[in-house]
């Protein structure tokens, strides 16, 4: 597995584009930037320990969310060729992230397809692969819009749309993660009745995350790169014990500073096979 990370050099909470970015009084959260850097390095250390291939490129000044590089593209391969759909961000604050991302993708030999202006797509924040089943789950409603399916269908055959009705779960990766072809975790409150039915049909072992662990610990934002190791924000006790029962190897990390911006492990990287 190949991992792209972007260091949190300019990371901060400078605007609010999701409900997690504000404190109880409605003010922008305050980030401890040196702590954020340490937390980010710890996450990278785990990727190194797991022998994943790590890539990075320089962030752009004035782009405080660029560390969340999951959102700027969706990678896949077709006919043995690396491909990426470049996102079209919902918020104008994040649009400047796209040009350097496109340059990097091209420099790595990706064939890049740009999301047309009339659609919104936020990369693997909303597009989550079940690689073994060759299916893409696509969250929509807040950032990504459902119309984009007609564009994605030019490249990707099996797309399973999942509507996200709750603004706290504004990206699919805040409430759903695939561990292997039969196992996934989800926050039931984040989905519609139809969505829940779809997920139950797709996964024999669908593990429900407590709402509390889903919000406080961002537990739904875990990342499993290899059907075995799970990297997850520390403190999600119930989910941890469910995963341990199934013999997953758990790596807990602290991402408190990034949660203040509405992200954790899964969105602090992008990935491709
Ligand atoms: N502040 C960022 C935003 O609202 C956080 C993105 C986190 N990414 C994610 N896939 N959940 O866009």
């Amino acid at each position: 597995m190949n991992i792209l990370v972007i260091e949190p050099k300019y990371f901060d909470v400078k605007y609010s584009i999701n409900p997690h970015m504000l404190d109880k009084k409605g003010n922008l959260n305050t980030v401890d930037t040196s702590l954020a850097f340490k937390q980010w390095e710890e996450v990278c250390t785990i990727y190194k320990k797991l022998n994943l291939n790590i890539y990075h490129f320089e962030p752009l000044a004035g782009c405080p969310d660029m560390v969340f590089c999951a959102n700027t593209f969706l990678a896949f391969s077709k006919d043995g060729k690396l491909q990426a759909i470049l996102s079209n961000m919902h918020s104008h604050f994040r649009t400047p992230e796209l040009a350097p991302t496109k340059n990097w993708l091209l420099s790595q030999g990706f064939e890049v397809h740009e999301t047309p202006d009339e659609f919104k797509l936020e990369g693997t924040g909303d597009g989550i692969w079940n690689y073994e089943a060759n299916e893409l789950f696509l969250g929509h409603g807040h950032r990504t819009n459902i119309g984009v399916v007609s564009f994605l269908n030019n490249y990707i055959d099996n797309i399973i749309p999942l509507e996200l009705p709750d603004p706290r779960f504004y990206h699919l990766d805040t409430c759903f993660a695939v561990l292997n072809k039969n196992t996934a975790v989800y926050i039931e409150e984040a989905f519609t009745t139809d969505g829940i039915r779809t997920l139950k049909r797709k996964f024999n072992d669908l593990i429900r995350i407590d709402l509390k662990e889903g919000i406080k610990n961002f537990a739904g934002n875990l990342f499993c790169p290899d059907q075995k190791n799970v990297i997850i924000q520390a403190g999600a006790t119930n989910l941890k014990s469910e995963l341990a029962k199934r013999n997953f190897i758990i790596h807990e990390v602290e991402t408190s500073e990034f949660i203040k911006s509405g992200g954790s492990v899964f969105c602090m990287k992008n990935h491709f096979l």
Side-chain angles (χ1 to χ4, degrees):
M1 167 83 59
N2 299 292
I3 304 285
L4 169 69
V5 288
I6 299 186
E7 68 168 22
K9 200 167 172 178
Y10 307 106
F11 172 63
D12 207 343
V13 174
K14 292 277 195 203
Y15 45 73
S16 169
I17 53 174
N18 73 59
H20 305 275
M21 298 175 89
L22 299 176
D23 65 17
K24 284 195 186 85
K25 291 191 185 135
N27 298 318
L28 293 175
N29 280 327
T30 311
V31 170
D32 177 338
T33 48
S34 63
L35 179 59
F37 204 86
K38 257 180 57 194
Q39 294 179 343
W40 177 83
E41 281 183 320
E42 273 163 33
V43 177
C44 294
T45 304
I46 295 182
Y47 294 142
K48 284 182 203 139
K49 214 165 79 188
L50 297 179
N51 279 322
L52 306 177
N53 269 334
I54 306 179
Y55 296 80
H56 60 95
F57 65 88
E58 274 295 294
L60 202 63
C63 289
D65 273 334
M66 207 154 171
V67 66
F68 301 114
C69 53
N71 305 149
T72 49
F73 67 94
L74 175 70
F76 60 103
S77 53
K78 206 176 169 115
D79 310 324
K81 208 176 168 333
L82 270 180
Q83 317 259 332
I85 312 271
L86 190 71
S87 299
N88 185 20
M89 309 305 285
H90 186 263
S91 162
H92 68 89
F93 288 120
R94 297 200 60 186
T95 304
E97 298 175 28
L98 296 174
T101 302
K102 181 179 173 189
N103 289 340
W104 179 79
L105 288 165
L106 292 172
S107 75
Q108 299 303 310
F110 279 84
E111 193 172 322
V112 177
H113 313 282
E114 296 191 34
T115 302
D117 268 357
E118 64 263 41
F119 303 128
K120 300 287 178 202
L121 177 74
E122 295 211 351
T124 185
D126 275 323
I128 297 185
W129 284 105
N130 179 346
Y131 285 113
E132 294 164 283
N134 195 28
E135 286 176 335
L136 182 77
F137 292 89
L138 187 74
H140 64 92
H142 300 286
R143 298 295 181 86
T144 294
N145 59 10
I146 184 71
V148 80
V149 172
S150 61
F151 162 67
L152 292 177
N153 272 148
N154 294 323
Y155 313 99
I156 299 168
D157 296 327
N158 304 318
I159 300 179
I160 299 143
L162 290 167
E163 188 186 346
L164 301 172
D166 184 329
R168 292 171 300 180
F169 307 109
Y170 63 97
H171 273 146
L172 184 59
D173 73 4
T174 61
C175 52
F176 171 71
V178 175
L179 301 170
N180 60 44
K181 75 168 184 295
N182 300 314
T183 317
V185 297
Y186 81 125
I187 299 171
E188 193 163 289
E189 290 81 353
F191 294 94
T192 61
T193 319
D194 266 7
I196 297 166
R197 204 177 301 128
T198 302
L199 291 175
K200 288 189 171 157
R201 208 178 57 235
K202 290 285 175 189
F203 296 94
N204 301 339
D205 191 12
L206 183 65
I207 307 169
R208 183 170 178 179
I209 303 173
D210 296 349
L211 183 60
K212 203 169 131 251
E213 293 187 359
I215 293 173
K216 186 163 171 282
N217 306 96
F218 254 70
N221 203 245
L222 62 76
F223 178 46
C224 177
D226 54 6
Q227 291 98 42
K228 189 169 72 216
N229 288 281
V230 173
I231 310 158
I232 183 172
Q233 160 63 34
T237 322
N238 293 335
L239 180 59
K240 232 173 66 182
S241 82
E242 286 304 317
L243 296 174
K245 269 190 225 162
R246 291 158 174 87
N247 297 322
F248 286 102
I249 304 166
I250 298 160
H251 308 264
E252 284 190 293
V253 287
E254 189 49 68
T255 61
S256 61
E257 298 317 290
F258 299 97
I259 290 177
K260 291 175 180 171
S261 184
S264 180
V265 180
F266 189 92
C267 42
M268 291 162 67
K269 55 102 193 81
N270 208 313
H271 60 278
F272 53 100
L273 291 180

